[in-house]
Amino acid sequence: MKNKFCKSILFVLSLTLATPAFAQQNEEVTYSNGKILLQQQRYEQAMAEFMPLTIASSPYAPEASYFYALAAFKRKKYKESQEMLQQLKAQHPDWRQMPDATYLLANVLFERGNYDEALTQLQQLYSTPLANEAAGLERFYLQKLTDKKEFERLVQRYPNDKVLAQAYADKLISVWYNPANKATIERLVSKHNLDRNRYLNAAQRQQSFDIALLLPFQLNQDLGQNVRKNQFVNDLYAGMQLAQDVMEEQNIKLNLFTYDAGTDTTAVNRILSLPEVKQMDLLIGPVYKSSARIANRFAQETGIPVINPLSQDVEIAGQNNNVFLFESSVATQARQAAAYAYNTFSPKTAIILFEKSKDDTTFAYYYKEHFKKLGGKVKTYKKINSDQPTATATIFKNLVLTDVGHMAVFSDKMTAAVNTTSKLQSSAAQLPLITYQSWLNINQITLRQLDNLEVYFISPKFIDATSPAVKNFRERYISRYNIPPSVYAYAGFEMLYFYGSLLQQYGPNLAQALLETGIRPGVLYPAVGYTNRSEKNQLHPDNQFVPIIKLENLQPIVVNAVY
């Protein structure tokens, strides 16, 4: 009888599970779980949750299909994303959020190199509220298109697309400049009412630019000692030389003039007093703070823009609108990380721990102040000393993680990293953590541990090794120098290419050029820019884009990418 009773219970339970009401309730839970996973940027898991709901008979099919495609896109699974979006458009053509799906499909197609079909999708959005976003997406990817014949074909196929026409005109006056292009430029200006002064004066714009490099080559020192101490300068210069070659292939000629400028302020004064230097279009360097002050005065007196290539000290620029840092300052890194945390994590509460060192204390201070300015609440703000392991462990043990939106730990010490990961693994594995990228190199913590937790890394020098442009640069660099590129080589290339392109497109008024271009994708860097997305018409002296990365299946992805 007992066995028969158990079988009866199982039979009744099976009927209950099969009822439509229960099935719909179960789908609601799955759909909710999928959205939570997507918000947490756990894209593989989100895709798995949404997939069963994408069948046409499910009441959640349109939304689940879209979110599945979005998760696949974020995970760089563009084929799966495209197939799901095409299924969505075919099965649910009247879905109220179809413009969002169309926008995402265009984005996917651009990523897959199908510009033609991507533009076809975008044409559907120019009469919708997404028109501005569609135009921005189109501009972003057209900037990356380097095939002139393909550009010409697209312009012929979409003759009324103003964004396309303007992007093509930009290429004609910069990358593909030729006096023979004048008639084409005139036609585009007339048809699309483009800025006549900018485009029709292109023929009179100079086609080469002189750039002075004031770097500490220290050529007067022993060769072996010089190589060891100044490898970063050699790498920086090597990257610049490669950028010079690439730009010459695009008919942009940059003349590089090198000057040995170290810590000797007298020598730097002498260099800056040379008549030839006062005729330059741009100065890159000097590196050191004492010499940088002299270059600041030079920029103020001559109007020639000066770029500090390596400093993160924004005080170097002062109030001079002609001095810029290629790097992001410590304050900018902290503020951008705090803004990302505030806009992404809920509730808007934080625990902030930081090492006793000056750099970590400064970083934590800027982070805290900006998070509070945005409206966040800091529940714990505490200094730690990893040189005292027992005391540090006690601080982490006593942390209360209830009603905390995220934790921020600013320390590159192994003790702090191990205590943080142990605390999260035991108490709140899904609590988001913001910290430095240097944690990826701490041997006592595995990448799998960091991947399993919700860790977001502040990575101002991030290079995506899977990017085709990065792969191409690496191959060319190794072929030329017989060694792999360092972070300084990547920086040298990106720096010269970025500023050289601005000179070619806008002329020597670098401040105005930076204001107009805003934050834009780099060649090797995720993005570079000197304006803040939350501010209008305000130019900053340091790079405002700070990549935030997260591990997905052990691979780093940029979670705040510019599109």
Side-chain angles (χ1 to χ4, degrees):
M1 290 295 294
K2 182 177 180 182
N3 187 44
K4 184 177 180 181
F5 176 76
C6 290
K7 288 183 178 179
S8 299
I9 292 293
L10 290 173
F11 177 72
V12 173
L13 181 60
S14 67
L15 291 178
T16 303
L17 292 174
T19 60
F22 185 89
Q24 184 169 350
Q25 183 180 7
N26 193 39
E27 286 189 342
E28 182 179 355
V29 172
T30 302
Y31 177 68
S32 179
N33 288 342
K35 289 202 297 183
I36 291 172
L37 290 167
L38 182 60
Q39 185 179 22
Q40 293 176 343
Q41 298 168 349
R42 298 164 67 187
Y43 301 124
E44 292 280 358
Q45 297 94 322
M47 291 169 65
E49 289 291 304
F50 286 126
M51 175 55 83
L53 305 178
T54 60
I55 58 175
S57 59
S58 171
Y60 294 98
E63 291 82 2
S65 298
Y66 173 77
F67 287 133
Y68 175 94
L70 180 60
F73 173 80
K74 294 288 189 180
R75 192 64 190 87
K76 296 186 178 182
K77 293 189 172 184
Y78 301 125
K79 181 175 181 292
E80 291 88 337
S81 183
Q82 179 180 341
E83 291 173 350
M84 185 59 71
L85 288 167
Q86 290 171 335
Q87 174 183 302
L88 169 60
K89 290 173 77 72
Q91 294 183 351
H92 307 280
D94 298 324
W95 184 47
R96 66 185 185 282
Q97 296 299 117
M98 190 57 73
D100 293 304
T102 301
Y103 179 91
L104 180 57
L105 179 56
N107 206 340
V108 170
L109 290 165
F110 275 131
E111 284 291 342
R112 301 194 73 188
N114 190 344
Y115 278 67
D116 198 338
E117 183 57 31
L119 291 179
T120 298
Q121 295 296 323
L122 290 182
Q123 306 305 306
Q124 304 171 31
L125 299 177
Y126 283 118
S127 59
T128 73
L130 289 180
N132 289 337
E133 287 83 352
L137 183 71
E138 184 174 350
R139 275 191 293 270
F140 173 81
Y141 283 100
L142 290 175
Q143 287 175 352
K144 303 171 74 171
L145 182 59
T146 58
D147 187 335
K148 185 178 180 183
K149 290 185 178 179
E150 175 66 4
F151 231 126
E152 291 172 346
R153 191 184 70 80
L154 292 173
V155 170
Q156 292 175 359
R157 178 168 168 76
Y158 302 95
N160 297 320
D161 189 328
K162 182 174 180 177
V163 174
L164 174 62
Q166 187 166 7
Y168 184 49
D170 286 338
K171 295 279 188 178
L172 290 179
I173 66 172
S174 56
V175 179
W176 302 318
Y177 179 78
N178 188 314
N181 294 333
K182 186 176 180 182
T184 301
I185 295 172
E186 287 179 342
R187 175 175 57 81
L188 293 172
V189 167
S190 177
K191 179 176 178 61
H192 297 282
N193 194 28
L194 303 182
D195 185 341
R196 302 186 68 83
N197 291 330
R198 177 181 177 187
Y199 293 101
L200 298 184
N201 290 339
Q204 301 171 357
R205 187 173 298 162
Q206 68 184 94
Q207 293 307 300
S208 67
F209 299 90
D210 297 336
I211 300 176
L213 306 179
L214 279 67
L215 301 174
F217 294 104
Q218 297 185 2
L219 300 177
N220 59 341
Q221 291 190 2
D222 172 77
L223 180 60
Q225 182 183 11
N226 177 53
V227 170
R228 288 191 300 272
K229 288 182 61 177
N230 275 24
Q231 188 60 48
F232 76 96
V233 176
N234 298 328
D235 292 351
L236 193 72
Y237 182 50
M240 290 180 179
Q241 288 180 306
L242 204 54
Q244 182 186 29
D245 292 346
V246 170
M247 299 194 79
E248 188 158 1
E249 293 168 6
Q250 301 175 353
N251 296 320
I252 302 174
K253 185 171 178 58
L254 304 178
N255 304 311
L256 302 183
F257 298 86
T258 58
Y259 299 88
D260 193 358
T263 57
D264 186 347
T265 56
T266 301
V268 173
N269 263 317
R270 184 169 61 251
I271 294 169
L272 293 177
S273 66
L274 295 172
E276 65 198 61
V277 175
K278 294 180 180 179
Q279 301 301 314
M280 295 290 168
D281 296 297
L282 179 71
L283 264 66
I284 296 179
V287 171
Y288 301 113
K289 191 169 185 176
S290 57
S291 303
R293 292 193 182 99
I294 301 171
N296 192 316
R297 291 199 301 269
F298 174 86
Q300 191 77 45
E301 294 168 359
T302 64
I304 298 173
V306 171
I307 310 300
N308 190 297
L310 300 175
S311 177
Q312 295 181 355
D313 185 355
V314 75
E315 291 182 2
I316 284 177
Q319 301 299 316
N320 194 328
N321 292 331
N322 281 316
V323 178
F324 300 93
L325 277 59
F326 184 65
E327 302 278 353
S328 302
S329 68
V330 170
T332 293
Q333 292 176 38
R335 290 181 185 126
Q336 295 297 343
Y340 178 81
Y342 180 82
N343 293 325
T344 307
F345 309 134
S346 292
K348 309 302 180 184
T349 53
I351 288 176
I352 303 174
L353 304 179
F354 53 96
E355 205 69 44
K356 64 175 182 177
S357 70
K358 179 182 177 182
D359 289 345
D360 295 324
T361 301
T362 301
F363 202 105
Y365 171 78
Y366 282 117
Y367 188 96
K368 176 196 68 172
E369 291 302 305
H370 196 64
F371 188 73
K372 290 169 60 179
K373 179 181 177 181
L374 293 172
K377 180 181 179 181
V378 177
K379 302 191 71 173
T380 302
Y381 183 73
K382 188 178 290 292
K383 185 181 295 186
I384 61 176
N385 183 359
S386 290
D387 294 334
Q388 300 175 355
T390 303
T392 301
T394 300
I395 290 174
F396 279 93
K397 180 180 179 181
N398 293 333
L399 285 177
V400 177
L401 304 183
T402 307
D403 296 327
V404 174
H406 80 283
M407 181 189 296
V409 179
F410 302 120
S411 168
D412 57 8
K413 303 292 186 181
M414 178 272 293
T415 300
V418 169
N419 275 280
T420 303
T421 53
S422 297
K423 178 69 174 182
L424 292 175
Q425 287 171 335
S426 63
S427 304
Q430 302 308 314
L431 181 67
L433 167 68
I434 293 271
T435 190
Y436 300 141
Q437 183 188 0
S438 58
W439 282 31
L440 294 170
N441 300 318
I442 296 177
N443 294 330
Q444 289 79 359
I445 306 175
T446 67
L447 292 181
R448 176 59 64 188
Q449 283 178 285
L450 296 171
D451 196 335
N452 290 338
L453 296 171
E454 291 296 306
V455 188
Y456 297 79
F457 304 94
I458 304 163
S459 181
K461 292 184 175 65
F462 177 71
I463 296 292
D464 182 359
T466 66
S467 161
V470 171
K471 290 179 179 178
N472 181 58
F473 170 79
R474 181 180 172 84
E475 290 172 2
R476 292 186 64 155
Y477 192 92
I478 293 175
S479 175
R480 178 164 177 170
Y481 301 109
N482 296 316
I483 57 172
S486 69
V487 291
Y488 296 105
Y490 287 114
F493 180 95
E494 188 69 55
M495 192 183 316
L496 192 70
Y497 194 97
F498 178 78
Y499 292 113
S501 299
L502 289 181
L503 284 173
Q504 173 64 19
Q505 191 169 353
Y506 292 91
N509 189 351
L510 189 60
Q512 185 62 32
L514 292 172
L515 193 59
E516 289 187 17
T517 55
I519 294 178
R520 71 182 194 180
V523 178
L524 307 178
Y525 282 21
V528 182
Y530 290 78
T531 59
N532 197 313
R533 299 182 193 182
S534 62
E535 302 166 343
K536 292 183 179 180
N537 300 321
Q538 182 173 345
L539 189 64
H540 293 265
D542 61 324
N543 182 9
Q544 292 295 294
F545 184 77
V546 180
I548 309 292
I549 65 172
K550 185 178 184 294
L551 293 178
E552 284 288 340
N553 288 339
L554 304 181
Q555 296 299 315
I557 60 170
V558 179
V559 296
N560 62 332
V562 174
Y563 293 109

